[in-house]
Amino acid sequence: MLSPLSNHPHIRLKLAGILLLVGIGHAACLFGFFLADDFYNLNNALKGGWSLDNITKGFLIDNYCFQDGWTPPFLSHFTLHYFRPVFVFSLLLDHALWGFNAWGYHLTNILLHLMVAGSLFGVLREWLPSQDTLALSGAAFYGLMPYHGMSVAWISGRTEILAALGMMVSLWTFLRFTRSHRITPYVLSLTAGLFGLLSKETAVVLPLLLTAAWKFRLNQHRCSFLWLAPHYLLLIPYLTTRAMILGGFPVPPSSIYYHSLDDPGFALWAFAKATAVFYDLFLHMPLVFPTEMLLEQRPFILALLAAGALTLALKASFIIRRHPDTRVRRTAFFALCWAVLPMLPTAPILIAPIYFYFALAGVTLFYLTLWECLSRPGHILDPSHDKRRKRLIYGLLISFALALQVGNGLYISGSLHAKRLLNQIADTVRSYPPAQKVYLIDSPFISGPSKAGFELLWPRHPFELYFLSVHPQEWRRTGAPSRIRQLDPYTLEITAVDRPYAAVGGAFAMGTTERSTIQSGAVFKTDDYSITLTEVTTSGPRGLRGVKQFVFRFETPIKSPGKLFFFYRDGSFHSFNPF
């Protein structure tokens, strides 16, 4: 059976100390700014204000959150529409408290993350009676996991934290209910489950997770399955309301970011993603996007990684199955369910650390189970080897904390870079009062300025923003080396020197559903200019499209009053002076 550990009288003080260390581990986030989706989400929330209709109707992100220019026809009327009222409410509350001081939003993220880590401690304490030391260790490891950098350091990652908080508290209180049979924890479990659903749609997996807990841990004679029914029934009004507000169940178009089942080569891509996610979750190897696409094009490396993953899985299974206590084996099975179920709603989407947030709690429980299996006499973590055990624990915590700082540093530097670029364009526009149209060439995809950013921070200085090229397949912080050539006073030619562009004019050019649209010779018109795709490339096993060269033809001379052109090089924008 699970080895008993003493219930320390100062357990709450120890938990507070661990949460303090976790908070310090994420404190660097306070120096960050807004980044990417933060501008769109906050701008959308503030446009509608505190009205109940605004908070509950959902919010959308479309191409015009990015820029005012051309969009391929398949995307011209498409919007990313969300129903996440708790998230919208949290942004409005942050704005009321902090205004546009980004550190306040980051502080909220850190506090919410500490609440999730504390709730995980509660779950582990319920699941592992008299195992307070293991529960504390689990909370510490989970709180400092390196992949949490994206969810905590990025303000928009709050959707994952809020949904995880709702699911974690729901699981915790449901476990308390099955032990005490008091109705209060049960009502709290349902309320927290609803909170998770209203934070992000991925919380629909909660009833399945509770069912796994009922199957592998709870006394099924004392806790009838009927107690789970309300959690399933709660999905009906939620999904109905969501469908009414969003007009159905919209999904993104097929692209490098979203893969439909009917995409050519979907099975190979899914296998590559599953293999990479295994290493991401259980070994914390940074195999994130575009790793799955690279593996898809290199079957030999994919086969080696898949074989390694299978070997590790079989080895872990062998270790766990040899443990004499059935409850330990059941805990391992539940931990695997916990790690896999939260990943299912994001299965068709690219690999991003933000989607690992709640699943990593299941991975933490799996780690603790392996620790218990290896702590028996004669094994590598034999309790008699106390120094070895302590060195391993402290070594893992320190390595997690250091890797977390690297992840946080990437997001902080990216957000500060975005702030600098926004200020640079805004200062230039203010120094040219007649400027009404701004054209950006090779603007960075993540940290580059967006229409929503300018509307949010400088609403009194409106201007139209156009991306003439964006998001090359090989993105670099120093800028995409495009060649810019003015053919005549009305015409501008832009050529990708290295890799082709994965997006043009601020919208995706790659994918499978738009093959008839993205082809050489295609001409599109928008506002005061037209676009001709003069060279289109095809690459990869699914024939993804990229644009190598395109030509912009303006109705008025390029060098006209009210027009400003910038190209991005070496980390900043430079004025483009046409002849």
Side-chain angles (χ1 to χ4, degrees):
M1 61 183 297
L2 292 171
S3 56
L5 294 173
S6 61
N7 188 357
H8 199 282
H10 300 298
I11 189 68
R12 293 184 179 178
L13 185 61
K14 288 185 175 182
L15 177 61
I18 285 176
L19 294 181
L20 177 62
L21 290 176
V22 172
I24 293 173
H26 289 275
C29 303
L30 299 175
F31 297 97
F33 191 62
F34 303 103
L35 179 65
D37 292 15
D38 297 342
F39 298 108
Y40 324 135
N41 293 332
L42 184 56
N43 196 35
N44 276 319
L46 294 180
K47 281 182 177 179
W50 284 93
S51 67
L52 182 63
D53 179 62
N54 173 56
I55 294 175
T56 58
K57 74 179 180 181
F59 63 94
L60 60 87
I61 297 176
D62 60 15
N63 184 63
Y64 297 103
C65 290
F66 296 83
Q67 53 113 32
D68 295 290
W70 167 78
T71 306
F74 77 100
L75 277 175
S76 58
H77 300 292
F78 178 79
T79 58
L80 296 174
H81 211 162
Y82 300 100
F83 175 59
R84 300 171 183 174
V86 172
F87 174 60
V88 175
F89 178 83
S90 74
L91 292 178
L92 291 172
L93 183 60
D94 266 350
H95 181 262
L97 293 172
W98 318 111
F100 292 115
N101 294 310
W103 68 267
Y105 297 76
H106 290 292
L107 177 62
T108 301
N109 273 25
I110 294 174
L111 294 176
L112 289 171
H113 177 60
L114 296 181
M115 293 172 66
V116 174
S119 300
L120 175 61
F121 167 76
V123 171
L124 296 176
R125 203 179 187 198
E126 290 290 333
W127 194 277
L128 307 171
S130 302
Q131 294 281 339
D132 290 340
T133 301
L134 276 181
L136 287 169
S137 300
F141 277 108
Y142 178 77
L144 292 173
M145 281 185 172
Y147 275 131
H148 289 335
M150 184 174 189
S151 302
V152 181
W154 189 32
I155 296 171
S156 294
R158 185 182 303 177
T159 56
E160 298 291 335
I161 304 176
L162 288 170
L165 179 60
M167 290 189 284
M168 196 76 76
V169 172
S170 181
L171 176 59
W172 179 17
T173 51
F174 186 78
L175 292 174
R176 288 181 66 90
F177 160 73
T178 60
R179 177 172 54 83
S180 65
H181 293 282
R182 297 173 57 188
I183 197 63
T184 301
Y186 185 74
V187 173
L188 289 175
S189 178
L190 287 172
T191 304
L194 180 61
F195 178 91
L197 288 171
L198 297 179
S199 299
K200 191 173 182 179
E201 50 279 357
T202 51
V204 295
V205 303
L206 175 62
L208 297 176
L209 182 62
L210 295 177
T211 303
W214 175 82
K215 173 67 176 175
F216 293 117
R217 181 67 175 85
L218 304 177
N219 188 329
Q220 299 177 19
H221 298 291
R222 297 182 59 191
C223 179
S224 171
F225 182 79
L226 293 178
W227 287 105
L228 292 170
H231 282 278
Y232 283 95
L233 294 175
L234 194 63
L235 296 178
I236 297 176
Y238 165 73
L239 293 175
T240 302
T241 303
R242 183 177 184 273
M244 291 175 60
I245 290 176
L246 304 186
F249 297 93
V251 296
S254 176
S255 69
I256 58 175
Y257 297 94
Y258 180 87
H259 301 261
S260 301
L261 287 173
D262 56 352
D263 286 351
F266 175 82
L268 179 61
W269 174 85
F271 181 66
K273 178 182 177 180
T275 302
V277 167
F278 174 88
Y279 287 94
D280 286 324
L281 287 178
F282 293 97
L283 299 180
H284 299 279
M285 296 177 63
L287 301 182
V288 296
F289 175 81
T291 300
E292 66 272 36
M293 296 185 65
L294 298 176
L295 292 177
E296 185 184 15
Q297 300 177 25
R298 295 165 176 81
F300 179 72
I301 298 178
L302 174 58
L304 290 178
L305 289 175
L310 180 61
T311 302
L312 291 173
L314 291 175
K315 179 63 176 178
S317 175
F318 177 75
I319 293 173
I320 292 170
R321 285 184 175 275
R322 292 187 61 187
H323 198 285
D325 193 342
T326 304
R327 288 178 296 177
V328 172
R329 298 195 294 270
R330 286 176 170 268
T331 296
F333 289 137
F334 172 69
L336 290 176
C337 290
W338 192 344
V340 172
L341 286 174
M343 299 298 299
L344 295 181
T346 61
I349 307 176
L350 59 81
I351 302 177
I354 189 175
Y355 302 132
F356 302 157
Y357 187 79
F358 188 60
L360 285 171
V363 174
T364 301
L365 180 57
F366 188 77
Y367 285 167
L368 298 180
T369 308
L370 278 178
W371 181 275
E372 185 68 25
C373 291
L374 296 173
S375 295
R376 291 181 294 153
H379 288 69
I380 189 172
L381 297 176
D382 190 317
S384 62
H385 300 150
D386 186 57
K387 290 185 178 180
R388 178 190 299 174
R389 290 160 62 92
K390 288 184 177 180
R391 283 198 298 266
L392 181 58
I393 291 175
Y394 293 141
L396 286 173
L397 284 174
I398 292 173
S399 63
F400 273 25
L402 292 177
L404 176 63
Q405 301 315 306
V406 174
N408 286 341
L410 291 174
Y411 288 100
I412 294 170
S413 63
S415 65
L416 295 179
H417 186 234
K419 180 180 181 180
R420 187 166 63 85
L421 294 181
L422 280 166
N423 283 324
Q424 184 182 5
I425 297 297
D427 291 343
T428 305
V429 170
R430 283 197 291 263
S431 64
Y432 289 89
Q436 299 177 356
K437 297 179 184 292
V438 176
Y439 303 86
L440 303 181
I441 303 171
D442 294 345
S443 178
F445 182 64
I446 300 297
S447 59
S450 65
K451 183 71 174 179
F454 289 113
E455 288 182 347
L456 183 68
L457 302 177
W458 294 283
R460 298 184 180 181
H461 299 277
F463 58 88
E464 296 179 7
L465 182 69
Y466 300 92
F467 292 161
L468 299 190
S469 65
V470 65
H471 192 19
Q473 290 182 19
E474 184 177 351
W475 181 81
R476 291 197 293 268
R477 177 70 174 269
T478 54
S482 297
R483 184 173 66 249
I484 310 167
R485 190 161 66 105
Q486 186 172 354
L487 305 182
D488 59 53
Y490 295 85
T491 310
L492 197 64
E493 177 189 81
I494 300 178
T495 305
V497 174
D498 293 333
R499 302 254 181 139
Y501 295 98
V504 178
F508 303 129
M510 297 181 70
T512 56
T513 59
E514 71 282 6
R515 285 176 173 171
S516 60
T517 301
I518 307 300
Q519 57 182 333
S520 295
V523 179
F524 306 97
K525 294 184 178 181
T526 179
D527 296 337
D528 66 339
Y529 63 87
S530 65
I531 302 173
T532 302
L533 308 183
T534 54
E535 184 179 348
V536 174
T537 64
T538 302
S539 63
R542 287 180 291 114
L544 299 176
R545 299 294 177 94
V547 179
K548 184 72 173 176
Q549 184 183 80
F550 45 95
V551 172
F552 293 87
R553 177 74 180 179
F554 295 85
E555 294 180 359
T556 58
I558 295 175
K559 193 173 183 179
S560 300
K563 288 185 177 182
L564 290 176
F565 289 81
F566 298 91
F567 66 93
Y568 181 80
R569 291 291 184 277
D570 301 322
S572 62
F573 283 107
H574 305 271
S575 297
F576 174 71
N577 298 312
F579 58 75

